[in-house]
Amino acid sequence: MPELERHTFDVLVIGAGGAGLRAAIEARQRGARTAVLCKSLFGKAHTVMAEGGIAAAMGNANPNDNWQVHFRDTMRGGKFLNNWRMAELHAKEAPQRVWELETYGALFDRTKDGRISQRNFGGHEYPRLAHVGDRTGLELIRSLQQKVVSLQQEDFAETGDHESRLKVFQEFTVTDLPLDGGRVAGAFGYWRESGRFTLFEAPAVVLATGGIGKSFKVTSNSWEYTGDGHALALRAGAELVNMEFVQFHPTGMVWPPSVKGILVTESVRGDGGVLRNSDGERFMFGYVPEVFKDKYAEDEAEGDRWYTDPDHNRRPPELLPRDEVARAINSEVKAGRGTEHGGVFLDVSSRLPAEEIRRRLPSMHHQFKELADVDITAQPMEVGPTCHYVMGGVLVDPDTGASSVPGLYAAGEVSGGMHGSNRLGGNSLSDLLVFGKRAGEGAADYAAGLTTRPRCGDEAIARAQEVALAPFAGEGGENPYALHVELQQAMNDLVGIIRRAGEMESALERLDGLKRRAAALTVEGHRQFNPGWHLALDLRNMLLVSECVARAALLRTESRGGHTRDDHPRMDADWRRKVLLCSASGDGVAVAELAQEPIRADLLALFERAELEKYLTAEELEG
Ligand code: FAD
């Protein structure tokens, strides 16, 4: 075995999206020697794809907005299952994190009087999303990268080496987190290009690897979202929370098949777009659930007036939280009122002048023109639900991002709790910055406080190499692409937008079979840029994480947010009092219940009692 390449740092950040970069900036600013490792090219992460904007109660578009209103909206969107401390920190700190981005060089769209412009989005009471057209994520990443470069220039001035305190390693995939006596000791993985292994030793690791969408057939997520961080955390001994809650964004492209699932941003609806079925009916008015009845317009006239007079009218139901809209579209299509290609119509062409559409939604205009030959300024789009985001992730301490494994931290989509059962649009980009900063701080402080550093033992490294090379060992096994397609189909059909006990049980059986077949799969060729090998390793993670989703979904016998049970259609207040925790057990997953900490009294006081009665048990209300 050739000599292993090794590097040593204080803090390793795995992932270079918004959460990872914000964590790395913070760790470096607190004096930790920090490395960022990312699977794809630096600058290519999901964050870059974010279109609609970043939610922060800055009150620029409506002075009535403040952190309390944002907190309330977030808790309502998550159907009160959110970790309330995370929702509180997020609502309070998001504006600071957005203003701070401006100091890094971000250029947001402005209001006429020069403040950061804010747009409407589903579930947000006031216009709250700071944005840059429909390319907000690109600007967020660009400015975070600019900050990284400016810190590196400071380091050069002081040490003569740009990378002395903050270094980025791209196209490096982490496959293992070696431990030392239960503490994290670093990260092991391979370079995508050469396939060579490298060990990064560090006492603190921040997971910022994003989501799991590639386990589902129709998804807005790209190839990187294979649940690596979720699986790494599980194998290191951490727990995942809320894994049954997967968000299906209501509006993905449905046609042509090659682009099925690609996202159509919610800003289309925020800026006036409406949903119609094949009969031309604006069907969302028939789908406003009881808990939201008093907050949404009764008819089209009131909904339309809201765009110009939001203080005296209620918002249109197209702007309900995503889970509600996705279910409504699903029902319309099932009832035979869908479009030719199995979606519904999203029309902005009859609502805004063509020039305005091109100005506000340039990427959407380009996307439909290029990919589907549809001019959205002249005709409606065909859209349908697509797997978009996972609310579940690593169970962390809200203030520091620490997991239950000493030295292991998580932030961004890979962490869980903040969004409860359903995330509001725009609340992810703000989550990345708020909790990325906190996790960077937590990890740097932890590393600085250690008296002895953990070491990666030879045995752990040898095991990591053996596991990574296993796909080359067999002969005549199946190929990873075929297994991936079967996994995606099973998750889509059996643990998708509407769930039933029998179907989830058969999903678990299929996952078990896939797991056995995956253990014996074969990849051809050698280690140099070998996508088949890469997928084989990703598949291991996707199977483990999919099992978490299916097991937790089977256990939660109610419907809430991103988890809809046909056989348990109601929300049950008793279930709100607990969350489900997944942990690794043998080569599978065990699920346990964890009681939720009661919501702090001053936060509960932000809600009317009548609203709390919809979510809390009688005992909680009296307590
Ligand atoms: P990412 O930005 O995905 O970064 C993950 C990083 O981890 C990448 O660098 C990847 O290479 C790396 N990585 C993964 N696995 C490994 C591994 N094994 N080893 C090394 N590196 C690894 N949210 C909003 O709030 N507003 C929006 O308008 C919005 N629009 C969206 C539009 C689209 C099309 C999509 C897909 C999502 C959108 N979201 C939006 C959601 C939001 O973009 C994501 O939730 C968020 O960007 C996740 O950020 P992250 O930092 O957690 O992960």
Side-chain angles (χ1 to χ4, degrees):
M1 191 78 61
E3 188 67 10
L4 188 70
E5 181 181 335
R6 287 171 185 260
H7 301 270
T8 305
F9 287 89
D10 299 324
V11 172
L12 295 179
V13 178
I14 307 178
L21 289 183
R22 191 59 193 85
I25 288 166
E26 199 60 25
R28 147 65 183 81
Q29 285 180 325
R30 292 177 93 82
R33 274 200 72 233
T34 303
V36 179
L37 315 177
C38 56
K39 187 166 164 172
S40 50
L41 288 168
F42 189 48
K44 156 74 195 74
H46 270 88
T47 304
V48 122
M49 295 159 72
E51 295 159 354
I54 173 165
M58 296 184 285
N60 290 353
N62 189 321
N64 295 323
D65 203 9
N66 56 42
W67 78 261
Q68 289 91 338
V69 187
H70 194 180
F71 172 79
R72 276 204 302 259
D73 289 346
T74 301
M75 294 294 289
R76 282 177 190 139
K79 302 255 163 59
F80 273 65
L81 198 81
N82 317 56
N83 177 308
W84 52 263
R85 173 66 179 155
M86 289 176 99
E88 178 194 12
L89 290 171
H90 168 258
K92 281 182 172 165
E93 294 176 8
Q96 282 157 261
R97 296 285 76 79
V98 172
W99 286 316
E100 176 183 73
L101 271 190
E102 285 202 301
T103 70
Y104 296 174
L107 293 168
F108 288 100
D109 290 353
R110 318 305 290 190
T111 59
K112 285 202 174 74
D113 60 355
R115 288 176 296 167
I116 293 177
S117 165
Q118 299 193 266
R119 65 158 46 117
N120 284 306
F121 240 56
H124 292 280
E125 189 162 341
Y126 298 118
R128 189 176 283 145
L129 269 70
H131 54 92
V132 183
D134 54 3
R135 297 179 180 134
T136 311
L138 177 64
E139 183 65 356
L140 192 139
I141 285 288
R142 190 194 66 74
S143 45
L144 290 171
Q145 286 188 338
Q146 188 165 318
K147 180 67 181 174
V148 166
V149 170
S150 87
L151 289 170
Q152 288 177 325
Q153 285 178 351
E154 278 176 28
D155 292 340
F156 179 75
E158 207 178 304
T159 67
D161 177 3
H162 285 101
E163 295 175 318
S164 53
R165 295 193 182 115
L166 181 51
K167 186 162 180 169
V168 178
F169 298 86
Q170 61 177 348
E171 298 208 283
F172 181 83
T173 305
V174 174
T175 58
D176 212 294
L177 299 176
L179 301 176
D180 178 9
R183 296 191 292 171
V184 153
F188 171 93
Y190 65 87
W191 301 99
R192 287 176 65 76
E193 197 179 337
S194 65
R196 279 188 301 107
F197 295 130
T198 291
L199 176 69
F200 288 85
E201 289 189 276
V205 172
V206 180
L207 292 171
T209 48
I212 66 164
K214 274 294 166 192
S215 298
F216 289 81
K217 186 176 166 197
V218 179
T219 178
S220 64
N221 293 180
S222 78
W223 65 272
E224 289 159 277
Y225 264 17
T226 51
D228 296 7
H230 289 76
L232 287 166
L234 273 180
R235 294 198 187 98
E239 299 83 20
L240 304 186
V241 65
N242 291 347
M243 287 304 290
E244 63 274 38
F245 298 108
V246 177
Q247 181 171 83
F248 290 82
H249 193 291
T251 59
M253 292 177 81
V254 296
W255 184 256
S258 57
V259 297
K260 196 170 172 140
I262 289 186
L263 194 75
V264 180
T265 176
E266 197 165 321
S267 347
V268 177
R269 283 171 285 135
D271 288 353
V274 294
L275 291 165
R276 293 187 197 280
N277 60 22
S278 54
D279 298 336
E281 185 198 352
R282 243 177 105 175
F283 59 85
M284 279 309 301
F285 286 93
Y287 288 95
V288 182
E290 211 42 53
V291 284
F292 292 126
K293 271 254 151 56
D294 52 337
K295 301 217 156 27
Y296 286 81
E298 220 160 63
D299 51 34
E300 292 191 30
E302 184 187 358
D304 286 348
R305 283 197 305 270
W306 175 83
Y307 286 101
T308 46
D309 184 9
D311 291 339
H312 302 101
N313 295 285
R314 289 167 298 175
R315 54 189 31 237
E318 277 90 358
L319 292 177
L320 274 160
R322 289 173 174 175
D323 53 327
E324 308 292 353
V325 185
R327 272 192 296 273
I329 293 176
N330 197 57
S331 304
E332 286 297 301
V333 175
K334 269 199 170 157
R337 294 187 290 271
T339 63
E340 186 190 346
H341 302 111
V344 295
F345 294 112
L346 170 59
D347 181 27
V348 70
S349 64
S350 62
R351 314 266 305 168
L352 289 176
E355 199 182 310
E356 192 61 12
I357 296 172
R358 276 192 293 268
R359 189 181 69 79
R360 291 199 206 183
L361 303 163
S363 300
M364 287 302 104
H365 183 255
H366 178 82
Q367 179 174 311
F368 273 88
K369 198 80 202 107
E370 291 299 311
L371 302 178
D373 198 22
V374 166
D375 179 358
I376 69 167
T377 66
Q379 63 190 112
M381 305 160 231
E382 275 185 68
V383 296
T386 179
C387 174
H388 184 56
Y389 184 89
V390 62
M391 273 68 73
V394 182
L395 179 75
V396 291
D397 172 61
D399 291 76
T400 63
S403 75
S404 61
V405 176
L408 185 62
Y409 294 74
E413 193 168 339
V414 70
S415 68
M418 155 70 205
H419 305 285
S421 65
N422 174 50
R423 173 178 72 88
L424 292 186
N427 268 2
S428 174
L429 293 188
S430 38
D431 165 356
L432 309 181
L433 297 177
V434 168
F435 295 103
K437 176 182 188 297
R438 285 182 165 273
E441 208 170 276
D445 291 355
Y446 168 83
L450 289 176
T451 46
T452 57
R453 287 169 77 106
R455 287 190 49 75
C456 297
D458 291 343
E459 216 176 286
I461 298 163
R463 213 171 31 248
Q465 295 198 21
E466 194 186 318
V467 171
L469 291 174
F472 289 110
E475 260 181 42
E478 293 182 75
N479 99 35
Y481 294 97
L483 294 189
H484 189 203
V485 169
E486 280 190 50
L487 167 68
Q488 290 181 315
Q489 193 73 54
M491 291 305 283
N492 234 79
D493 296 348
L494 305 174
V495 203
I497 187 162
I498 308 286
R499 298 161 172 178
R500 295 167 193 90
E503 290 185 354
M504 287 183 284
E505 280 156 6
S506 46
L508 283 165
E509 275 168 36
R510 285 216 214 161
L511 287 173
D512 201 41
L514 285 170
K515 211 163 31 176
R516 267 183 278 117
R517 287 159 60 195
L521 59 73
T522 315
V523 294
E524 305 288 336
H526 43 69
R527 277 158 61 185
Q528 279 169 358
F529 199 85
N530 185 338
W533 178 42
H534 303 164
L535 179 60
L537 296 177
D538 293 345
L539 199 54
R540 205 175 148 242
N541 298 331
M542 285 188 273
L543 284 166
L544 187 63
V545 168
S546 297
E547 187 178 339
C548 292
V549 176
R551 284 204 188 285
L554 181 60
L555 279 183
R556 185 171 280 273
T557 47
E558 66 155 353
S559 291
R560 184 185 294 272
H563 171 62
T564 305
R565 295 275 305 244
D566 218 18
D567 47 356
H568 295 278
R570 290 193 199 301
M571 192 161 69
D572 174 349
D574 273 328
W575 264 110
R576 198 208 64 79
R577 304 174 74 175
K578 53 202 174 197
V579 286
L580 294 174
L581 288 191
C582 296
S583 53
S585 166
D587 70 342
V589 172
V591 187
E593 290 180 3
L594 175 73
Q596 289 259 56
E597 203 180 310
I599 303 175
R600 222 176 52 222
D602 59 310
L603 296 175
L604 268 189
L606 297 172
F607 298 89
E608 303 279 335
R609 187 178 164 100
E611 180 164 19
L612 293 179
E613 281 168 1
K614 297 173 187 169
Y615 298 102
L616 271 53
T617 60
E619 193 189 322
E620 285 174 290
L621 285 164
E622 296 325 315

